[in-house]
Amino acid sequence: MAHVGAQTVLPDVVASGLQNPWAVAFLPEGRYLVTERPGRMRVIEANGKVGAPLAGVPTVAAGGQGGLLDLLLDADFARNHTLFFCFSEPGQTGNSTALARARLSDDRTRLEEVKVIFSQKPKVASSLHFGCRVVESRHGGKADGMLFLTLGERFVRKDDAQKLDNHLGKIVRIHKDGRVPADNPFVGRAGALPEIWSYGHRNIQGATLAPDSTLWTHEHGPQGGDEINLIQPGSNYGWPVITYGENYGGGPIGDGITAKEGMKQPLHYWVPSIAPSGMAFLTSERYGHAWAGNLFVGSLKFGYLDRIELSEPFKGTVVREHKLLADLGERIRDVRQGPDGLLYVLTDNARGQLIRLAPR
């Protein structure tokens, strides 16, 4: 439990019995849509009843960190029932992160018109570092028809994060039908893939837009050095050349440096690593004025929700961190603000839960 002014915040279990849930989205009429990493997508009713797996979900490369991962409802979902989801896509030479578009059927039992609109290249024989967070971009406060997708460097191919001829360790930006936007930073550059928006990333499992449309992400470092980054088009975020972490078991990565000209510094980093997953800004005042504009990040390693105070609402530097839900002892996989202005989290285990953070 955590205190907010004179209020107390308590975990209210909305649904349970979810197998390694990864992402939650908010459907109309108080329902929820949740992905489970083994390859299932389910509707949860407003009363917490968990529905049967939806038909039409493609085969995923489930195993390790791979499976059915992030989920995003289109900004116009209420009208078009369109959603996007990313997953580890199997292939002959390995697997990779893919992004698909689909329509949720009117009776909410299946996915229709499923189409993969992006597939990371190359495929790699690895069960690690898929990234796989999806964010709908905005311009002037309105959705602009484009998506950001975060892509891990697959662990065994970390040096490729510095190369622009592949999608490993990148953020890409595409239209909702998979086309490349003409104003992407590497369009027309020889030897560079035009989808790339930024590079030099390790494994981004948290991404969200601030109200000013700035893209905020966090990514896993190795042993130490998890980062929060503000993403700018065409920028290099340094992995594996610069890092505040070290090799597992100790010892420097590369030259053991933390800064280099032409490479972006993180806004904030954690040593030791908290293994972050999920990321959301709180725009409501349901928990009082002090929480509005704070950033929230789940910790898998230590099992808490990190409330991050910034020097200004939605911007600035990290001033303070507060551990919420630590007494649950649960890996926090996803965090979102619901339409009711409250925070919701998913816990990552074989009988995972959807939890609402309720002010009392």
Side-chain angles (χ1 to χ4, degrees):
M1 124 180 6
H3 296 281
V4 187
Q7 292 183 320
T8 302
V9 176
L10 298 172
D12 176 20
V13 177
V14 176
S16 57
L18 302 166
Q19 186 174 357
N20 300 106
W22 218 90
V24 59
F26 302 95
L27 297 171
E29 299 178 349
R31 297 183 177 93
Y32 312 87
L33 188 61
V34 173
T35 58
E36 294 175 315
R37 197 168 71 236
R40 294 179 290 271
M41 195 179 297
R42 300 179 188 269
V43 173
I44 299 173
E45 297 295 327
N47 64 6
K49 180 182 178 181
V50 179
L54 300 184
V57 175
T59 300
V60 305
Q65 297 171 359
L68 184 58
L69 304 175
D70 205 16
L71 172 67
L72 173 73
L73 302 188
D74 186 77
D76 202 17
F77 179 87
R79 181 186 63 82
N80 62 23
H81 285 204
T82 295
L83 58 90
F84 303 90
F85 60 94
C86 63
F87 63 102
S88 51
E89 180 183 52
Q92 292 186 345
T93 58
N95 51 58
S96 67
T97 302
L99 178 62
R101 174 185 176 123
R103 184 185 183 279
L104 181 64
S105 66
D106 292 342
D107 63 1
R108 299 179 298 279
T109 64
R110 63 193 182 280
L111 297 183
E112 302 172 334
E113 303 168 25
V114 178
K115 182 182 180 182
V116 173
I117 60 172
F118 174 85
S119 184
Q120 181 187 33
K121 293 180 175 59
K123 283 192 161 31
V124 178
S126 171
S127 61
L128 302 172
H129 295 192
F130 292 91
C132 208
R133 287 292 179 188
V134 191
V135 174
E136 185 167 6
S137 64
R138 294 193 299 263
H139 183 74
K142 296 182 179 180
D144 62 7
M146 286 176 274
L147 303 171
F148 294 111
L149 172 65
T150 73
L151 301 167
E153 35 73 294
R154 311 310 314 284
F155 186 72
V156 294
R157 297 283 292 270
K158 67 179 187 295
D159 292 335
D160 282 324
Q162 287 295 315
K163 302 172 185 174
L164 295 172
D165 63 352
N166 66 80
H167 295 130
L168 305 179
K170 310 299 191 296
I171 296 175
V172 296
R173 176 180 179 247
I174 59 173
H175 286 284
K176 292 179 181 178
D177 59 4
R179 291 178 298 117
V180 176
D183 61 346
N184 271 9
F186 297 108
V187 168
R189 177 166 164 178
L193 296 179
E195 302 89 4
I196 296 173
W197 186 253
S198 63
Y199 64 110
H201 301 291
R202 188 170 183 265
N203 186 25
I204 298 175
Q205 290 190 351
T208 192
L209 280 194
D212 67 359
S213 299
T214 301
L215 179 62
W216 291 55
T217 68
H218 65 61
E219 61 185 272
H220 290 258
Q223 188 166 272
D226 297 347
E227 298 180 353
I228 296 176
N229 286 300
L230 305 185
I231 303 302
Q232 298 176 359
S235 292
N236 180 356
Y237 289 82
W239 177 257
V241 179
I242 61 171
T243 177
Y244 287 89
E246 62 181 10
N247 280 307
Y248 295 107
I253 291 171
D255 293 334
I257 60 175
T258 57
K260 187 173 182 178
E261 186 176 356
M263 296 182 178
K264 293 289 186 183
Q265 283 290 300
L267 176 77
H268 181 69
Y269 63 90
W270 291 276
V271 176
S273 293
I274 68 168
S277 187
M279 190 179 207
F281 276 109
L282 183 69
T283 62
S284 81
E285 295 200 1
R286 294 294 304 273
Y287 305 97
H289 180 70
W291 283 31
N294 287 188
L295 186 66
F296 291 80
V297 170
S299 168
L300 295 166
K301 182 177 180 180
F302 296 120
Y304 63 82
L305 180 64
D306 194 6
R307 177 171 77 89
I308 301 171
E309 286 188 71
L310 302 169
S311 57
E312 299 179 64
F314 310 110
K315 61 177 65 175
T317 58
V318 172
V319 175
R320 256 174 239 99
E321 297 180 72
H322 308 265
K323 298 177 182 179
L324 309 176
L325 307 181
D327 52 346
L328 294 182
E330 295 280 359
R331 289 161 53 89
I332 304 299
R333 171 61 73 183
D334 197 17
V335 54
R336 313 269 175 143
Q337 179 179 304
D340 54 7
L342 298 177
L343 292 168
Y344 292 74
V345 300
L346 288 173
T347 64
D348 179 23
N349 61 47
R351 293 194 60 78
Q353 296 178 322
L354 173 63
I355 295 174
R356 178 191 298 117
L357 207 60
R360 297 294 190 216

